Amino acid sequence: MFLTQLLPLYHYKAQAMKSLYLLSALCIATLSSCGQKSDITKEYAVLPSQLQEVSGLHYDSTSKTFWALQDSGNKNELYQLDQKGKLIHTLKISKTPNIDWEELTADEEGNLYIGDFGNNKNNRQDLKIYKIDKTNLGEAKTTPSAIITFSYPEQKEFPPQKTELMYDAEAFFFYNDNFYIFTKNRSKGFDGTSYVYKVPNKEGSHKAELVQTFKGCNVYEHCALTGAAISPDEKTFVLLSHSKIWIVEGFNPNAILDGKISEHKLKHTSQKEAISFKDNNTIYIADEVKDNTGGKIYQVDLGALKPKP
């Protein structure tokens, strides 16, 4: 009688142990969410309270500090932060209105570039990139050492039809003496398409060259592009949305999307609008404060995301 009662319990425990073993094996074999996703974004620092709308971030490996900017409605200033996110220096960019500063990048010499090309309504005809000379970064105020203006030749109306709102931008990086700009699609019937434009790093007015198109998913909240950055060795670049990153490797210098592209979900969804490389395998991401969340810098190990050889 006693043995008969124990047999069902024994079989139940054996089956439970078998299921647990199979689940563990699956996690190890596929690097699934059982461990990887919880570690993909690690909180690194808290942004200063006065920086509620950080839309551009650049990590300077020489000084081991961050440079940040905020978008429309904020001051025409750049902010230098230490490793803990503490504000250590403010640089005013005189005679340079912050119409909609959306991105920050740098060249190999350490000069910074402000992307004043935010264009939510797709009606701007004054898109600019401002060069801030590295020798002036320690000053209290400065003016741009060069101003690059550009337009999109494909845009014929300001604004276009609601199904053709392709000319906002929040993402760019510097590569081969050109700026690569990834537009933010605000079209009705969003399908994840982003135009990739090239603008030369040369003072004056330019017609941006449409070089390729990128396409993510068709859900605006998850696939509208909000940031971009290229690695120090220029072999990898990343694209950012509120909840994902795309890693692009082995690309052709003449066709930067002709490489290996992998998509990765981030730990959570927030208003992430800034991204920068620390080194060739590590990136930093910053989000804006919204609904009492955000306002932080996160660290992501790209090495953990790339498939093992």
Side-chain angles (χ1 to χ4, degrees):
M1 182 73 173
F2 179 73
L3 195 54
T4 304
Q5 291 175 330
L6 281 179
L7 280 174
L9 181 60
Y10 171 81
H11 287 301
Y12 172 81
K13 288 185 176 181
Q15 186 62 38
M17 290 299 293
K18 182 179 179 181
S19 299
L20 183 60
Y21 172 80
L22 290 174
L23 179 61
S24 300
L26 182 63
C27 290
I28 294 171
T30 64
L31 290 176
S32 72
S33 60
C34 301
Q36 184 198 6
K37 284 186 180 179
S38 62
D39 296 328
I40 188 172
T41 53
K42 296 180 179 179
E43 186 176 319
Y44 183 80
V46 177
L47 292 166
S49 59
Q50 60 266 52
L51 301 187
Q52 299 282 299
E53 297 182 308
V54 168
S55 60
L57 187 75
H58 171 68
Y59 179 75
D60 181 354
S61 59
T62 301
S63 64
K64 292 182 172 53
T65 60
F66 298 96
W67 285 95
L69 54 74
Q70 301 194 98
D71 54 20
S72 61
N74 291 285
K75 296 180 179 179
N76 51 329
E77 296 175 338
L78 294 179
Y79 306 96
Q80 188 178 23
L81 313 173
D82 67 13
Q83 291 276 335
K84 296 182 179 180
K86 180 182 178 182
L87 179 62
I88 57 176
H89 178 60
T90 299
L91 174 60
K92 181 177 180 179
I93 313 301
S94 301
K95 303 177 182 178
T96 311
N98 183 347
I99 297 176
D100 196 358
W101 294 5
E102 285 289 359
E103 181 67 296
L104 187 64
T105 191
D107 60 25
E108 58 274 352
E109 296 177 355
N111 303 301
L112 296 182
Y113 297 87
I114 298 169
D116 187 1
F117 41 52
N119 191 16
N120 290 9
K121 296 181 180 180
N122 280 233
N123 60 356
R124 287 186 63 181
Q125 298 185 59
D126 57 351
L127 306 173
K128 294 181 174 67
I129 297 170
Y130 298 112
K131 179 181 180 180
I132 309 302
D133 195 281
K134 66 176 182 179
T135 59
N136 297 328
L137 294 177
E139 304 296 327
K141 61 181 179 179
T142 189
T143 56
S145 58
I147 300 176
I148 299 154
T149 63
F150 67 94
S151 60
Y152 302 115
E154 288 70 28
Q155 183 174 5
K156 307 300 182 183
E157 297 178 288
F158 298 86
Q161 300 298 312
K162 291 184 179 179
T163 55
E164 299 176 4
L165 299 177
M166 297 294 300
Y167 303 102
D168 185 18
E170 297 184 5
F172 83 151
F173 57 73
F174 180 86
Y175 174 62
N176 274 356
D177 211 27
N178 288 282
F179 301 100
Y180 285 84
I181 300 170
F182 298 78
T183 68
K184 185 176 185 180
N185 184 345
R186 291 184 177 273
S187 302
K188 182 179 180 180
F190 177 85
D191 67 353
T193 299
S194 168
Y195 291 159
V196 185
Y197 282 97
K198 183 168 70 171
V199 175
N201 181 21
K202 185 177 181 181
E203 189 164 23
S205 182
H206 306 277
K207 291 186 181 297
E209 178 186 354
L210 179 60
V211 291
Q212 285 177 289
T213 37
F214 172 81
K215 191 168 184 177
C217 72
N218 61 359
V219 181
Y220 180 84
E221 291 79 6
H222 298 294
C223 282
L225 299 184
T226 59
I230 192 166
S231 61
D233 65 6
E234 298 186 332
K235 293 182 179 180
T236 304
F237 69 86
V238 289
L239 302 175
L240 174 72
S241 75
H242 288 174
S243 66
K244 299 183 180 186
I245 58 171
W246 291 263
I247 305 173
V248 185
E249 304 173 273
F251 52 88
N252 183 336
N254 298 314
I256 61 170
L257 290 176
D258 290 359
K260 180 181 179 182
I261 302 176
S262 58
E263 177 185 300
H264 305 273
K265 293 182 180 179
L266 297 174
K267 181 179 179 181
H268 55 79
T269 300
S270 65
Q271 196 160 332
K272 301 176 182 69
E273 295 204 0
I275 189 167
S276 179
F277 274 84
K278 174 187 178 183
D279 52 45
N280 294 324
N281 290 302
T282 311
I283 57 173
Y284 292 116
I285 295 171
D287 56 6
E288 294 189 3
V289 176
K290 186 177 181 181
D291 299 328
N292 297 316
T293 63
K296 298 174 182 177
I297 297 175
Y298 308 90
Q299 181 174 296
V300 178
D301 176 13
L302 293 187
L305 299 181
K306 297 176 182 178
K308 303 304 179 188

